[in-house]
Amino acid sequence: VQLQASGGGLVRAGDSLRLSCRASGSTFSVYGMGWFRQAPGKEREIVAAISWSGSNTYYADSVKGRFTVSRDNTQYTVDLQMNNLKPADTAVYYCGADQRGLPDYIPKIQDEYDYWGQGTQVTVSS
């Protein structure tokens, strides 16, 4: 499986961005998917995740109410809509895939992910 993330950029505080992650391979629909981010000098942290069924989602406290994760299993994509961006959201954002095929499970830990995209830079200026 290959993951290709896109949509990052340089924006101002309060602006919105939409990240997209496209997966290759026909088994995408059974992958739990997540978005992580890593800021300079910090560890990679989870931002949001979604079960392969799409019925369950998870958000880090820092993004609740501002970010929305969604997926389209017919297009093999998982998106992260980011609204009201803050300078603290500046990071490289990575999408990941958990291939265990648990329909309603939300993978929240890096070690649960089997595949990663290349990362896309999000920079929010104040």
Side-chain angles (χ1 to χ4, degrees), residues 22-23 25-26 28-30 52 71-78:
R22 179 174 295 277
S26 60
F28 171 80
S29 61
V30 300
W52 76 249
R71 66 187 296 158
D72 184 339
N73 288 344
T74 65
Q75 299 295 320
Y76 300 167
T77 58
V78 58

Side-chain angles (χ1 to χ4, degrees), residues 62-82:
S62 59
V63 306
K64 279 181 182 177
R66 300 188 297 122
F67 291 12
T68 302
V69 62
S70 61
R71 66 187 296 158
D72 184 339
N73 288 344
T74 65
Q75 299 295 320
Y76 300 167
T77 58
V78 58
D79 292 347
L80 185 68
Q81 176 66 42
M82 305 186 295

